[in-house]
Amino acid sequence: MDDQTPPRIYETPPTERPIDEAEAARAAGLAANEHIKIASGYLRGTLADGLLKHATGAISEDDGQLVKFHGMYLQDDRDLRPERTRKKLDKAYSFMIRLRIAGGVVTPKQWLALDYIATTYANGTLRATTRQTFQYHGVIKSNLKRTMAAIDAALLDTIAACGDVNRNVMAATNPAQAGAHKAAYQLAKDISDSLLPKTNAWREIWLDGERVVGAEEDAVEPVYGKTYLPRKFKTVIAVPPSNEVDIFAHDLGFIAILDKKGRVTGWNVTVGGGMGMTHGETDTFPRTADVMLFCEPDDALKVAEAVMTVQRDWGNRKVRKNARLKYTIERYGLAAFRAEVEKRVGRALPDPKPFKFENNGDRYGWTKGDDGRHHLTLYVASGRIKDHEGAGPKILTGLRRIAQVHEGDFRLTGNQNVIVANVPEGKRPEIEAIVAECGLLKGASALRRNSIACVALPTCGLALAESERYLPDLLTELETSLAAHGLSEDEITIRMTGCPNGCARPFIAEIGLVGRGPERYHLYLGAAFDGSRLGKLYAEDVKASEIKTVLDPLFAAYAKERTKGERFGDFLVRAGYVARTFNGPDFHAKTGALRSAA
């Protein structure tokens, strides 16, 4: 710490469980969502009755908040809004449904079931998300129960895929590290199952299950209580040297510490990462997680619950925009947070062990695991599993045909891609033939392979600008620019979102584009290639048509002035084009271009 920097003063943490009585919540001025949760009867609300109201495709505003805990968001097609408004029609409402698939692993039989649901009840596509799971779009209200029944029949569910709970737990997918992946996947499943809400509301509402006697008693949710968490809570498991789950962008993370034989000896625990912010409000910011401590494998589940319950008790329930764990740690300090976690675990835990990440991308094409099995990682543009027109890849058909003959499993990655995993030697030629026929390995540039986009328009109600529909065209423009400077094969991460909630984790990409309005984006630069450092705002309100113009001279300088092995984000910081972001509140300091790139 600089001698001129005053010591940080932290607040004193609360000592009691969250308020869960209606009158006390009103007196304390808690956020509106806290009142909705208290009154919901453990996430039931009036959802069952609302499904019977056929006059509208929507549900009530309060139920719109509760349905998130069931894995759904109410949306409408914003492309159709103007026409439907002119005709005085209701909005074109539908639901986005997100599945809970810990570690992103499904069987071929489950894949075929999910494909059937997509083509029967949704918009004909599956979408692999940055949460290592699937989303359906375009499910109308009258098909909700049919869709949920089909998901349940596939031995899957959507419980806690959204909402103020521990959401889908992500895990490392590197198939070449079979033993380490198995440990990461098992931990992800254990955490997901352990921290799952216990209410029977999901089965009652969607599968016509019977109401459990005593469902109003506190014992229904021994961990969460009536008010669950202050905000969403995201957990990930990483296995170095790959950081494809972007561990520093999440509330809670476990980094595998491996011995010389690649076996997991324990986990470094990270806390306090998160991407979302609000434009123009500097008290909101993305933050990279702190590496807090090390734990033995047998303690990992206890540590996960302890971290989540401290956030449950300490998180801000009055100001929702400051309710994530990252703000809790900024408010009370990492030392106090760690001490409380250790208290709840029951003993002091060691400091973190050394580790090293090299990237936060996927390994494409075929790899052979240390168990002799073969694995094929396929690039899926923005995670949209569909059959592209013309000469484009037939991804939906191709993966359906693979699932019909595949003997292993499928794995989704945090970068929206798909791995055809655990292919026996003898099955590889058959799968390769399907891949070739359906064009699943059609060439994608280095930039495209390192790109992510959120859904944004037309369905996301928060989107301020295009993302998934626009990024492919932008990448084509930037590929031309990179080629002109001899950078076509250079790996550079680029991510785009339609708003600053950061679902595609743009603030941790070397090039981050965040929607500000129609065809306008904030441009963030200078993040680390391995996902360990945030970018910095370089240019505000850049028109879509000018993004290439802004980036081209930076590509030119990078090609001429970089040192051997230097990554694009590191170069921009070292060469003085943009300030380094250290963390949290520092994200908003020293913004803008520090040096002309013209």
Side-chain angles (χ1 to χ4, degrees):
M1 182 180 289
D2 191 313
D3 290 340
Q4 305 302 313
T5 304
R8 180 77 179 269
I9 304 298
Y10 294 107
E11 296 180 32
T12 302
T15 56
E16 298 178 351
R17 285 283 293 262
I19 296 169
D20 61 6
E21 295 300 328
E23 195 60 45
R26 280 191 289 271
L30 298 190
N33 285 58
E34 297 300 302
H35 301 284
I36 294 171
K37 288 181 282 186
I38 290 170
S40 73
Y42 295 103
L43 308 182
R44 292 174 177 84
T46 58
L47 279 168
D49 293 334
L51 292 175
L52 300 176
K53 295 180 179 178
H54 304 300
T56 176
I59 54 178
S60 73
E61 187 174 344
D62 284 3
D63 283 346
Q65 294 300 318
L66 291 178
V67 82
K68 296 177 184 179
F69 292 80
H70 298 254
M72 284 172 264
Y73 279 80
L74 174 64
Q75 300 181 330
D76 75 283
D77 190 329
R78 292 170 63 179
D79 286 349
L80 300 179
R81 277 186 191 177
E83 179 185 359
R84 293 183 73 86
T85 299
R86 283 195 302 271
K87 294 180 177 179
K88 298 182 179 177
L89 296 172
D90 205 3
K91 293 177 181 177
Y93 287 113
S94 65
F95 289 79
M96 180 276 280
I97 299 178
R98 183 180 299 149
L99 279 77
R100 179 179 67 101
I101 308 174
V105 177
V106 295
T107 66
K109 185 177 179 180
Q110 288 174 323
W111 186 284
L112 291 172
L114 296 173
D115 179 296
Y116 170 81
I117 294 167
T119 53
T120 305
Y121 301 121
N123 66 354
T125 71
L126 274 167
R127 196 173 195 281
T129 80
T130 56
R131 294 297 311 154
Q132 206 177 28
T133 185
F134 288 114
Q135 287 181 181
Y136 292 118
H137 292 267
V139 180
I140 60 175
K141 187 167 78 171
S142 59
N143 278 335
L144 281 176
K145 293 183 74 169
R146 297 184 185 96
T147 303
M148 300 301 251
I151 291 171
D152 179 67
L155 304 181
L156 294 168
D157 62 58
T158 67
I159 304 169
C162 318
D164 300 345
V165 285
N166 179 60
R167 296 190 177 183
N168 196 58
V169 182
M170 299 169 64
T173 56
N174 188 350
Q177 297 170 289
H181 173 264
K182 183 178 179 181
Y185 174 64
Q186 190 59 53
L187 179 57
K189 277 188 62 64
D190 289 346
I191 292 174
S192 180
D193 292 342
S194 175
L195 301 183
L196 195 65
K198 301 300 187 284
T199 176
N200 197 47
W202 191 85
R203 292 200 162 274
E204 288 175 20
I205 295 167
W206 307 112
L207 305 179
D208 295 326
E210 293 184 12
R211 183 77 175 254
V212 176
V213 176
E216 296 301 331
E217 298 175 4
D218 290 342
V220 168
E221 295 286 14
V223 174
Y224 284 110
K226 290 182 181 179
T227 52
Y228 296 84
L229 299 180
R231 279 299 297 271
K232 56 190 171 185
F233 189 89
K234 299 179 178 181
T235 304
V236 297
I237 323 293
V239 178
S242 177
N243 182 28
E244 83 269 35
V245 296
D246 267 331
I247 198 160
F248 299 107
H250 295 88
D251 297 88
L252 171 63
F254 291 84
I255 301 172
I257 302 302
L258 309 177
D259 63 17
K260 292 181 179 179
K261 294 184 178 180
R263 295 173 299 200
V264 177
T265 62
W267 308 91
N268 280 351
V269 178
T270 63
V271 294
M275 290 288 98
M277 56 163 279
T278 303
H279 284 313
E281 299 187 20
T282 57
D283 60 339
T284 67
F285 44 80
R287 187 181 191 276
T288 48
D290 297 301
V291 186
M292 183 172 67
L293 52 79
F294 172 85
C295 72
E296 301 287 342
D298 289 346
D299 288 329
L301 206 55
K302 289 183 281 187
V303 169
E305 181 170 324
V307 170
M308 193 190 79
T309 59
V310 177
Q311 165 62 0
R312 175 199 69 195
D313 298 344
W314 290 15
N316 191 336
R317 292 181 183 265
K318 293 183 179 181
V319 184
R320 193 163 169 80
K321 69 179 182 179
N322 289 121
R324 289 287 297 275
L325 177 57
K326 59 183 176 180
Y327 300 116
T328 302
I329 290 177
E330 288 288 337
R331 191 174 179 183
Y332 300 118
L334 182 64
F337 189 88
R338 173 176 176 171
E340 184 65 19
V341 167
E342 291 175 324
K343 177 182 175 183
R344 297 187 186 201
V345 170
R347 61 188 179 85
L349 296 166
D351 288 338
K353 309 286 186 183
F355 67 94
K356 187 178 188 301
F357 287 126
E358 295 177 356
N359 60 69
N360 61 350
D362 292 332
R363 298 148 297 279
Y364 294 97
W366 286 99
T367 58
K368 187 175 182 180
D370 51 22
D371 60 353
R373 292 287 183 120
H374 296 263
H375 313 273
L376 174 63
T377 302
L378 299 171
Y379 167 70
V380 182
S382 297
R384 185 67 67 177
I385 298 170
K386 66 178 183 179
D387 289 347
H388 292 263
E389 296 179 359
K394 303 299 184 280
I395 302 174
L396 188 68
T397 296
L399 287 170
R400 180 189 304 140
R401 288 179 56 189
I402 289 173
Q404 290 167 344
V405 301
H406 186 29
E407 297 174 357
D409 53 53
F410 292 91
R411 299 175 188 172
L412 303 181
T413 79
N415 290 303
Q416 304 175 309
N417 297 310
V418 176
I419 301 176
V420 183
N422 289 308
V423 179
E425 182 80 37
K427 271 285 182 182
R428 180 167 164 170
E430 185 176 9
I431 289 176
E432 285 180 329
I434 297 171
V435 167
E437 186 178 342
C438 295
L440 302 187
L441 282 178
K442 284 186 179 293
S445 69
L447 186 67
R448 218 168 278 264
R449 293 193 305 267
N450 287 279
S451 66
I452 300 180
C454 71
V455 175
L457 297 167
T459 52
C460 179
L462 300 176
L464 304 171
E466 294 280 3
S467 182
E468 180 185 345
R469 297 195 296 193
Y470 169 53
L471 184 60
D473 292 337
L474 174 63
L475 291 175
T476 299
E477 292 183 26
L478 296 183
E479 284 164 350
T480 303
S481 178
L482 289 166
H485 301 297
L487 298 172
S488 293
E489 298 306 312
D490 284 71
E491 306 270 346
I492 298 172
T493 57
I494 178 170
R495 297 175 180 177
M496 174 178 280
T497 58
C499 81
N501 283 299
C503 292
R505 304 188 287 275
F507 304 114
I508 214 161
E510 291 178 289
I511 301 172
L513 292 153
V514 178
R516 276 279 293 167
E519 298 189 19
R520 291 185 296 117
Y521 300 85
H522 276 359
L523 172 62
Y524 295 85
L525 299 173
F529 185 72
D530 67 355
S532 62
R533 182 181 67 244
L534 294 169
K536 183 75 73 177
L537 179 60
Y538 178 80
E540 296 185 68
D541 288 324
V542 180
K543 293 180 181 177
S545 60
E546 296 174 353
I547 294 172
K548 178 185 174 183
T549 303
V550 174
L551 287 173
D552 186 76
L554 296 172
F555 292 153
Y558 177 54
K560 293 177 183 177
E561 303 170 22
R562 61 179 169 171
T563 60
K564 185 177 181 181
E566 188 173 32
R567 295 293 183 180
F568 183 60
D570 295 335
F571 164 77
L572 294 177
V573 172
R574 178 187 64 79
Y577 289 102
V578 66
R580 177 187 296 270
T581 294
F582 292 95
N583 212 349
D586 173 65
F587 178 77
H588 295 297
K590 298 180 181 177
T591 58
L594 303 183
R595 171 184 169 189
S596 173

